[in-house]
Amino acid sequence: MQLNDNVTEFILLGLTQDPVRKKIVFVTFLIFYLGTLLGNLLIITTIKNSQALESPMYFFLFHLSLSDTCFSTSIAPRMIVDALLKNTTISFSECIIQIFSLHFFGCLEIFILILMAVDRYVAICKPLHYMTIMSLQVCGALVAVAWVGSCIHSSAQIILALSLPFCGPNVIDHYFCDLQPLLKLACADTYLVNLLLVSNSGAICTVSFVVLMFSYVLILYSLRNHSAEGRRKALSTCISHIIVVILFFGPCIFIYTRPASTFPMDKMIAVFYTIGTPLFNPLIYTLRNAEVKNSMRKLWSKKLISDDKR
């Protein structure tokens, strides 16, 4: 493995270099990030403290909100602070850490979305065996596998990044560190690394998307045998999941399944899955889920009552 000896830091150009637009970026994405934290932490707290939300579906939703919170935090805070600075540099070590955290929590979200699809398939297509198949032990083991798999994927990204020699340009035309923009700065032929990148990140995104959409097609097909009320409830849940899948995987597939080349719209497309999806997920899962909304109201009511008694 060849470590970098010449370049000790990179310059991040961010979304824009215009001073006025940078202020707009600061305000806009600060609001987005605070909304992401508020929404996801509210879901985490509600599921953790509500006995009505102890089913496997909410167990996975808990971990999805946790991964969303960490995923957004690995990108947004630095992006927000950089919007206020004139010179935005990131050390080589910090860049590597950001790549690891970005891919770790992004991959974890992908695996959790797959587990949520499996959970809905079993609940709708195998209702009599649901609690046996999706027991607490099974769900815990599946989530543990998701964490280990994410660690393996992100470690592979780090190995690829550390294998790149950097000896000249250090300006990254992006608002965060990732392998694609780093490949443009490497002082060597990056064909093999790019091929490994596409076969790793690109394959995970594409295969996961196909598996998820196929599973939801099976679920929707099986609903023809259910009652009208059962179809309505299942459709509401599945549509929420499908919206999340499309919002997350669409931009990811565009970015990670093509050769390392930069398009003007790349940074804006990356905003969808790095900032947008973690913000939209809690909105989609709360606004379309009566059980979560009821549990939030009960939890808030209990808090108000306990505060009044003090």
Side-chain angles (χ1 to χ4, degrees), residues 209-263:
F209 179 73
V210 171
V211 169
L212 283 166
M213 296 311 295
F214 181 70
S215 67
Y216 283 117
V217 168
L218 289 179
I219 291 171
L220 294 174
Y221 180 75
S222 69
L223 289 177
R224 72 191 192 285
N225 298 322
H226 287 63
S227 64
E229 177 62 22
R231 283 198 299 270
R232 186 196 64 77
K233 188 174 181 180
L235 275 173
S236 178
T237 302
C238 289
I239 288 173
S240 299
H241 293 192
I242 291 170
I243 291 172
V244 169
V245 167
I246 292 173
L247 286 175
F248 184 76
F249 281 94
C252 285
I253 290 173
F254 177 82
I255 296 294
Y256 291 108
T257 57
R258 58 183 170 81
S261 55
T262 303
F263 294 117

Side-chain angles (χ1 to χ4, degrees), residues 57-279:
M57 180 173 74
Y58 298 111
F59 176 76
F60 293 134
L61 180 57
F62 173 89
H63 285 276
L64 180 67
S65 293
L66 180 62
S67 64
D68 270 338
T69 302
C70 297
F71 181 63
S72 180
T73 300
S74 68
I75 300 295
R78 181 169 195 100
M79 173 190 181
I80 293 166
V81 172
D82 284 350
L84 294 177
L85 302 176
K86 190 171 183 180
N87 298 316
T88 55
T89 60
I90 183 171
S91 70
F92 184 83
S93 299
E94 288 174 326
C95 184
I96 294 299
I97 292 171
Q98 189 174 59
I99 292 173
F100 180 88
S101 58
L102 168 73
H103 282 271
F104 180 85
F105 293 110
C107 189
L108 180 61
E109 179 162 348
I110 288 174
F111 289 151
I112 296 297
L113 287 171
I114 291 175
L115 294 180
M116 293 177 78
V118 171
D119 172 73
R120 289 301 85 204
Y121 174 80
V122 176
I124 294 170
C125 301
K126 309 282 185 181
L128 298 179
H129 303 286
Y130 177 67
M131 294 311 298
T132 302
I133 297 173
M134 303 301 294
S135 65
L136 183 61
Q137 293 79 9
V138 170
C139 292
L142 290 173
V143 169
V145 170
W147 280 78
V148 172
S150 301
C151 187
I152 293 172
H153 164 72
S154 51
S155 297
Q157 303 298 301
I158 296 305
I159 292 172
L160 291 177
L162 292 176
S163 69
L164 296 173
F166 300 103
C167 54
N170 68 335
V171 178
I172 298 176
D173 188 15
H174 219 304
Y175 61 90
F176 63 88
C177 276
D178 203 358
L179 268 176
Q180 280 87 346
L182 285 182
L183 286 174
K184 293 175 65 66
L185 306 181
C187 305
D189 183 13
T190 59
Y191 175 79
L192 180 59
V193 175
N194 185 64
L195 188 64
L196 291 172
L197 174 64
V198 172
S199 62
N200 185 350
S201 297
I204 287 177
C205 291
T206 306
V207 173
S208 298
F209 179 73
V210 171
V211 169
L212 283 166
M213 296 311 295
F214 181 70
S215 67
Y216 283 117
V217 168
L218 289 179
I219 291 171
L220 294 174
Y221 180 75
S222 69
L223 289 177
R224 72 191 192 285
N225 298 322
H226 287 63
S227 64
E229 177 62 22
R231 283 198 299 270
R232 186 196 64 77
K233 188 174 181 180
L235 275 173
S236 178
T237 302
C238 289
I239 288 173
S240 299
H241 293 192
I242 291 170
I243 291 172
V244 169
V245 167
I246 292 173
L247 286 175
F248 184 76
F249 281 94
C252 285
I253 290 173
F254 177 82
I255 296 294
Y256 291 108
T257 57
R258 58 183 170 81
S261 55
T262 303
F263 294 117
M265 76 283 288
D266 278 3
K267 287 189 281 188
M268 290 310 301
I269 289 175
V271 167
F272 278 94
Y273 69 88
T274 58
I275 307 295
T277 303
L279 174 66

Side-chain angles (χ1 to χ4, degrees), residues 14-33 76 78-84 175 268 271:
L15 284 174
T16 179
Q17 290 294 293
D18 181 83
V20 176
R21 291 180 179 177
K22 287 181 77 170
K23 291 177 182 178
I24 296 173
V25 167
F26 170 77
V27 174
T28 303
F29 289 100
L30 177 61
I31 294 172
F32 284 176
Y33 180 58
R78 181 169 195 100
M79 173 190 181
I80 293 166
V81 172
D82 284 350
L84 294 177
Y175 61 90
M268 290 310 301
V271 167

